[in-house]
Amino acid sequence: PQEEAAPPSRCPDNSAFKQQRLPAWKPQLTIASVLSSFFLTGAFCLTVGVCLVLSANSVREIQIDYSDKCSDCSKLRENSSNWNKECHCSVNFTLKEDILGDVFVYYGLQNFYQNHRRYVMSRSDAQLLGRNVNIQRSYCAPFSTYGNGTPMAPCGAIANSMFNDTIDLFYNRNSSVIQVPLLKTGNSWWTDKNVKFRNPESYNLSSAFAGTARPPYWQKPVYLLDEDDERNNGYVNDDFIIWMRVSAFATFRNLYRRVRRVRQFAEGLPAGNYTFRISYNFPVTRFKGRKRVILSTVVWSGGSNPFLGIAYLVSGTAATLTGFVITGIHLKLRKKKTYFQKQ
């Protein structure tokens, strides 16, 4: 009888690569290399942390809470039947020193949770790209269609709850009142404006959104968000794009406007008396929220947020202390080793 063939061997080839006989760098941790690593890391983190904290502290920022100062408008907005009634309020404040450089205007919300899973998913990215899609198959429900079948544009809970207060800034100079020019475009990310958001293709926006209706809480359709600038209208509106970028925390701020540096505001905001004139539309009383306006400058590291600097300081301190602890343990063990060698 013929002998059966031996099964193929699963042993790797006898080569330097597969048998791991190639020369390799095998670092050996010495006390000098370990301590130098800890101390260098600590010094680097402490240096960066100090620079970041000093940079964040140099930001000029003024926060003005108008939740209580606009209490009459707040009571009016508690009743949803008053949605078509306008309500304005004014908030006065004083700048004791000039705010030089680019000045950014933010609106801030407190106790407004955007991190709920159903809220975050309640949108149709395909619709926001200008595609003709069936939004009933999306996660927009219950803000997808009306009872008669008319689809909402845009759909979803995020779009429906869009912040819609109008904020104007006035400079009270002597006996005259000068409106501070604010830029409403150029505030969103380039990728959002040019990649993630697109309007449906048509010869005009009103026909592009024909057959759709505004979300229930909106006062006007999406193609009238900015009637003065068609490039800032519809889904590519800067205010809408910024709102659709949800926050991870209940207290957050979104960029609203930038001060246009012209005439007496060429260097920034001069010291003096100012007034915020607010068209109050966004209700916050039912969820015990608060609203505020923030005037802020920015530096090379961003806005007034010392968190990153503090994180670097904590990491640098921990690395430095660990280096000292290892040094103490090493000296103690070396002293004990020397003692036993003498014995």
Side-chain angles (χ1 to χ4, degrees):
Q2 296 181 352
E3 295 183 0
E4 295 183 359
S9 175
R10 301 180 62 184
C11 181
D13 296 337
N14 188 20
S15 62
F17 176 76
K18 292 188 176 183
Q19 295 296 338
Q20 298 185 11
R21 292 196 299 267
L22 291 175
W25 182 55
K26 300 178 182 179
Q28 295 184 358
L29 298 179
T30 62
I31 188 62
S33 61
V34 171
L35 290 180
S36 61
S37 299
F38 274 103
F39 284 121
L40 288 176
T41 302
F44 173 78
C45 292
L46 289 174
T47 303
V48 175
V50 169
C51 294
L52 290 173
V53 169
L54 293 177
S55 177
N57 291 337
S58 65
V59 173
R60 292 289 309 280
E61 182 176 292
I62 296 175
Q63 298 192 25
I64 299 164
D65 192 310
Y66 63 93
S67 304
D68 298 331
K69 297 179 181 179
C70 298
S71 57
D72 293 338
C73 292
S74 178
K75 293 177 182 178
L76 180 70
R77 290 290 175 247
E78 288 182 13
N79 189 350
S80 59
S81 62
N82 298 324
W83 68 269
N84 58 346
K85 297 180 181 179
E86 292 188 2
C87 189
H88 299 274
C89 59
S90 298
V91 180
N92 301 319
F93 66 99
T94 302
L95 289 182
K96 296 181 180 179
E97 298 179 356
D98 297 344
I99 300 182
L100 303 177
D102 294 327
V103 182
F104 297 82
V105 183
Y106 300 84
Y107 62 85
L109 290 175
Q110 182 177 342
N111 206 37
F112 189 92
Y113 289 85
Q114 290 188 308
N115 54 6
H116 193 281
R117 180 176 176 271
R118 291 190 62 186
Y119 182 88
V120 173
M121 296 178 62
S122 184
R123 59 187 292 165
S124 173
D125 291 322
Q127 184 194 46
L128 297 176
L129 281 171
R131 300 173 183 170
N132 187 12
V133 294
N134 184 6
I135 59 175
Q136 290 184 340
R137 297 181 179 178
S138 66
Y139 294 100
C140 288
F143 301 103
S144 55
T145 59
Y146 287 93
N148 59 2
T150 304
M152 300 180 189
C155 71
I158 306 176
N160 184 60
S161 61
M162 177 180 169
F163 183 85
N164 57 351
D165 282 3
T166 303
I167 304 170
D168 294 314
L169 181 60
F170 295 89
Y171 176 43
N172 305 317
R173 183 179 181 182
N174 299 328
S175 58
S176 61
V177 178
I178 304 171
Q179 185 171 2
V180 180
L182 301 176
L183 295 170
K184 58 184 177 181
T185 58
N187 300 324
S188 60
W189 295 350
W190 185 91
T191 51
D192 287 341
K193 192 84 170 181
N194 296 275
V195 179
K196 296 178 64 176
F197 293 84
R198 298 280 182 83
N199 284 324
E201 294 184 0
S202 184
Y203 62 92
N204 60 28
L205 278 182
S206 59
S207 64
F209 290 99
T212 64
R214 59 177 174 81
Y217 290 173
W218 283 31
Q219 299 174 346
K220 52 187 176 182
V222 66
Y223 56 84
L224 294 179
L225 289 179
D226 189 353
E227 301 179 60
D228 300 327
D229 188 358
E230 187 172 344
R231 295 174 299 177
N232 189 45
N233 207 353
Y235 292 152
V236 294
N237 177 264
D238 275 37
D239 293 337
F240 173 70
I241 290 175
I242 291 173
W243 177 259
M244 293 299 290
R245 191 188 313 133
V246 296
S247 173
F249 300 99
T251 299
F252 61 93
R253 66 177 67 179
N254 283 336
L255 181 59
Y256 181 70
R257 296 289 185 268
R258 291 175 293 129
V259 174
R260 186 180 180 187
R261 298 177 63 174
V262 294
R263 300 189 299 274
Q264 59 264 52
F265 308 105
E267 301 297 327
L269 291 180
N273 297 320
Y274 289 85
T275 300
F276 273 122
R277 189 172 185 269
I278 300 167
S279 177
Y280 198 105
N281 300 308
F282 194 83
V284 295
T285 306
R286 291 191 175 183
F287 57 87
K288 298 180 181 179
R290 301 192 69 85
K291 296 189 291 187
R292 64 187 189 276
V293 186
I294 302 111
L295 292 174
S296 177
T297 60
V298 295
V299 291
W300 62 271
S301 61
S304 178
N305 188 358
F307 173 79
L308 185 60
I310 294 174
Y312 267 101
L313 289 176
V314 171
S315 301
T317 303
T320 305
L321 290 178
T322 304
F324 281 116
V325 170
I326 294 176
T327 302
I329 295 174
H330 171 68
L331 293 176
K332 185 176 180 180
L333 293 177
R334 190 174 66 174
K335 184 178 180 181
K336 184 180 295 186
K337 182 179 179 180
T338 304
Y339 173 76
F340 283 113
Q341 285 178 349
K342 291 182 178 179
Q343 293 294 326

